[in-house]
């Protein structure tokens, strides 16, 4: 399936009646951004990734247009983009060990999590001090009088003590253990399930805890625990998108979905920071107030701002669009958006960046206070083999456009 496609309940479709009923329950009254409900079917939105319902896996792939929609090509593009944006590629010891099959996006994240878990357990789980209050037959620490009076008025031989202990039972290891438990409940590859079971043995001393978004938000890493960062990032993605089936117990839902518009923007930011950092300061999602009243204010937030490091160059605004323009030029709404950004942020140059065959159309806004321009730029995201283009190729395309604005290249 591709983004914005429809999937209906019918003969030969991966969407069975039972799977559709589970998706309806998952959608709920408040809805989900991943898909909308149809009569006996669903329509996917701009989110891409994998939704697993029990033993059924639905893969939603990116595609800015419908020309030559090759699933293998766009699956590889999505995986490469995710690796670039998350930076996980650097932490993978052997990329050849990632077996990319039909469920590759789903398997990729599970295998990356297990790689991180195995690295952490090989180095040794971290320990922390924690406070313990419990009944004992011998006094350890200090006597906890409220608990002693409450629990031991009859049992004089017991002590309700409060003390500190230094062990593995803290929130970081509890998050990893809970993620392993979730992975043991869903349908995954046999070799991955074996690795999950082996890792669970390493967390026997860690207590089971219900991990909430609030607990994840309160986690702070230090120099000793920063090695947990990658594993926690993937664990957060899995835990917050896991929805157990409390009615039947065998149709758990795990949705690893990504907003393609945001993913395209983050990918471009990564490319620009790597290839243009010597000449521009690359800033993402910088907002500024454009309307203010006594009660409220309104802000504009361009995707990317390039601030020159020398005084001879000008500021450039880039607005990324994961779509294909219907006409030979940009749409009126996109042009108005760039015009507003140029006026508010003091830029004379704007770029509308789309995926597509390499095309460039430049025009100028006609105003009384001077001219500013906007370039519609389409850049190829795949090479002739169907692989995601390397960042230096895309970076070079952007450099060629900005070469029209400045002679400092």
């Amino acid at each position: 399936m591709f983004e914005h496609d429809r999937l209906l309940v019918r003969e030969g479709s991966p969407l069975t009646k039972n799977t559709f009923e589970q998706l309806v329950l998952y959608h709920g009254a408040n809805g989900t951004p991943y898909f909308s409900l149809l009569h006996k079917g669903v329509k996917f939105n701009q989110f891409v990734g994998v939704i697993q319902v029990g033993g059924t896996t639905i893969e939603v792939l990116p595609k800015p247009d419908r020309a030559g929609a090759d699933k293998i090509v766009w699956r590889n593009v999505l995986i490469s983009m995710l690796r670039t944006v998350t930076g996980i590629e650097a932490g993978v010891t052997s990329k050849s060990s990632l077996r990319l099959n039909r469920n590759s996006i789903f398997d990729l994240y599970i295998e990356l999590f297990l790689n991180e878990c195995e690295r952490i357990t090989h180095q040794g789980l971290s320990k922390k001090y924690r406070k313990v209050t419990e009944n004992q037959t011998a006094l350890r620490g200090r006597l906890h009088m409220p608990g002693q009076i409450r629990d031991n008025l009859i049992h004089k031989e017991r002590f309700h003590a409060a003390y500190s202990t230094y062990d593995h039972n803290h929130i970081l290891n509890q998050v990893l253990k809970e993620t392993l438990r979730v992975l043991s409940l869903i349908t995954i590859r046999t070799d991955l399930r074996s690795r999950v079971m082996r890792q669970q043995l390493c967390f026997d001393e860690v207590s089971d805890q219900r991990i909430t978004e609030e607990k994840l938000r309160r986690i702070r890493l230090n120099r000793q625990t920063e090695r947990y960062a990658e594993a926690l990032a993937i664990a957060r993605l899995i835990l917050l998108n896991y929805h157990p089936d409390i009615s039947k117990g065998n149709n758990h839902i795990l949705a690893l979905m990504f907003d393609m518009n945001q993913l395209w923007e983050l990918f471009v930011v990564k490319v620009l920071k790597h290839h243009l950092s010597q000449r521009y300061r690359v800033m993402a999602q910088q907002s500024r107030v454009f309307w203010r009243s006594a009660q409220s204010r309104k802000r504009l937030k361009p995707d990317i701002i390039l601030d020159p490091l020398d005084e001879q160059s000008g500021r450039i605004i880039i607005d990324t669009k994961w779509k294909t323009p219907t006409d030979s030029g940009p749409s009126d709404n996109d042009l108005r958006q760039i015009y507003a950004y140029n006026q508010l942020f003091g830029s004379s140059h704007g770029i509308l960046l789309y995926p597509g065959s390499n095309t460039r159309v430049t025009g100028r806004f006609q105003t009384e206070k001077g001219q500013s321009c906007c370039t519609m730029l389409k850049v190829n995201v795949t090479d002739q083999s169907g692989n995601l283009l390397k960042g230096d190729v895309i970076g070079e395309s952007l450099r060629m456009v900005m070469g029209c604005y400045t002679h400092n290249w």
Side-chain angles (χ1 to χ4, degrees):
M1 302 297 299
F2 291 97
E3 53 180 324
H4 305 295
D5 275 355
R6 297 170 180 244
L7 186 60
L8 303 176
V9 178
R10 57 189 177 190
E11 187 177 354
S13 171
L15 186 62
T16 63
K17 181 180 179 181
N18 180 53
T19 302
F20 175 65
E21 290 174 353
Q22 293 300 318
L23 289 176
V24 171
L25 292 175
Y26 174 65
H27 187 274
N30 297 325
T32 173
Y34 306 148
F35 59 85
S36 55
L37 294 177
L38 305 173
H39 177 64
K40 294 185 178 181
V42 296
K43 181 179 185 299
F44 296 102
N45 300 329
Q46 77 275 14
F47 285 79
V48 297
V50 174
I51 301 177
Q52 186 181 81
V53 185
T56 302
T57 301
I58 303 172
E59 188 179 57
V60 185
L61 301 174
K63 191 67 175 75
D65 55 47
R66 287 294 174 266
D70 189 322
K71 290 185 178 180
I72 296 177
V73 168
W74 288 103
R75 180 186 296 125
N76 292 335
V77 167
L78 176 57
I79 291 173
S80 299
M81 276 192 177
L82 289 171
R83 284 174 170 169
T84 301
V85 168
T86 59
I88 290 176
E89 185 176 15
V92 179
T93 55
S94 174
K95 286 184 284 184
S96 62
S97 66
L98 297 177
R99 306 167 191 75
L100 301 181
N101 58 17
R102 186 176 63 85
N103 302 333
S104 56
I105 303 167
F106 186 68
D107 293 339
L108 171 69
Y109 269 82
I110 294 177
E111 189 157 1
L112 289 174
F113 174 76
L114 290 174
N115 287 348
E116 291 298 315
C117 260
E118 289 166 350
R119 180 178 60 83
I120 291 171
T121 54
H122 179 73
Q123 295 173 350
L125 297 177
S126 70
K127 291 185 176 182
K128 286 187 176 183
Y129 283 102
R130 63 185 179 92
K131 294 182 179 180
V132 179
T133 304
E134 63 181 6
N135 256 340
Q136 302 173 335
T137 56
L139 181 61
R140 176 186 178 185
R142 63 180 179 84
L143 191 65
H144 185 249
M145 289 306 299
Q148 181 73 12
I149 295 172
R150 183 184 67 245
D151 299 334
N152 298 332
L153 282 177
I154 297 177
H155 298 280
K156 304 295 184 181
E157 77 282 2
R158 296 180 184 175
F159 302 92
H160 201 99
Y163 61 94
S164 295
T165 186
Y166 186 66
D167 59 15
H168 299 128
N169 194 18
H170 56 81
I171 184 63
L172 300 183
N173 293 327
Q174 289 166 359
V175 169
L176 300 188
K177 182 177 183 179
E178 177 64 10
T179 307
L180 290 169
R181 186 191 71 83
V182 168
L183 294 180
S184 70
L185 296 176
I186 61 179
T187 304
I188 58 177
R189 280 194 337 234
T190 304
D191 61 315
L192 295 180
R193 183 173 298 281
S194 298
R195 292 172 63 184
V196 168
M197 294 174 65
R198 287 197 299 269
Q199 283 300 298
Q200 284 181 303
L201 297 176
C202 301
F203 292 83
D204 281 343
E205 298 179 4
V206 181
S207 62
D208 295 323
Q209 294 288 331
R210 181 175 177 269
I211 305 300
T212 63
E213 185 174 3
E214 179 61 27
K215 288 183 179 180
L216 292 171
R217 191 183 300 116
R218 289 203 303 262
I219 290 177
R220 296 292 182 270
L221 301 179
N222 54 33
R223 186 166 52 86
Q224 285 76 28
T225 59
E226 62 184 6
R227 59 194 176 99
Y228 279 73
E230 294 290 354
L232 290 175
I234 304 174
R236 177 185 178 89
L237 181 69
I238 293 173
L239 293 177
L240 295 185
N241 290 282
Y242 171 69
H243 300 267
D245 180 8
I246 59 177
S247 60
K248 299 180 181 178
N250 58 356
N251 285 316
H252 310 294
I253 295 180
L254 179 60
L256 300 183
M257 302 291 282
F258 310 89
D259 188 332
M260 197 58 215
N261 294 319
Q262 294 181 5
L263 185 60
W264 172 238
E265 176 189 334
L266 293 172
F267 174 75
V268 173
V269 170
K270 282 275 188 177
V271 170
L272 292 176
K273 284 186 175 180
H274 183 71
H275 296 281
L276 300 181
S277 58
Q278 294 183 350
R279 297 185 179 275
Y280 286 91
R281 185 160 61 102
V282 181
M283 300 179 295
Q285 296 292 319
Q286 299 290 313
S287 65
R288 186 173 293 182
V289 176
F290 77 94
W291 181 86
R292 189 195 308 266
S293 71
Q295 293 79 24
S296 63
R297 61 184 64 181
K298 300 294 183 181
R299 292 178 174 270
L300 281 180
K301 187 191 303 183
D303 292 339
I304 304 167
I305 299 177
L306 301 182
D307 259 349
L309 299 179
D310 60 77
E311 297 181 355
Q312 298 179 357
S313 303
R315 174 178 289 176
I316 298 174
I317 301 290
I318 299 179
D319 199 48
T320 58
K321 304 288 185 182
W322 184 256
K323 63 180 182 180
T324 300
T326 55
D327 302 321
S328 57
S331 68
D332 291 349
N333 287 335
D334 291 347
L335 284 173
R336 293 187 185 104
Q337 197 172 13
I338 287 293
Y339 177 77
Y341 290 155
N342 283 350
Q343 295 297 311
L344 184 61
F345 288 85
S347 169
S348 58
H349 314 294
I351 298 175
L352 287 165
L353 185 61
Y354 304 90
S357 57
N358 289 333
T359 307
R360 188 178 70 194
V361 178
T362 300
R364 295 187 175 276
F365 297 113
Q366 306 299 314
T367 63
E368 295 180 357
K369 296 183 178 180
Q371 292 184 346
S372 62
C373 64
C374 174
T375 295
M376 182 192 77
L377 176 64
K378 295 183 187 179
V379 293
N380 280 327
V381 294
T382 60
D383 58 20
Q384 294 180 349
S385 301
N387 299 316
L388 181 69
L389 279 176
K390 294 182 179 180
D392 54 355
V393 179
I394 297 177
E396 183 61 31
S397 298
L398 292 171
R399 271 202 290 261
M400 290 175 60
V401 173
M402 288 182 283
C404 301
Y405 302 150
T406 176
H407 300 288
N408 293 330
W409 293 101

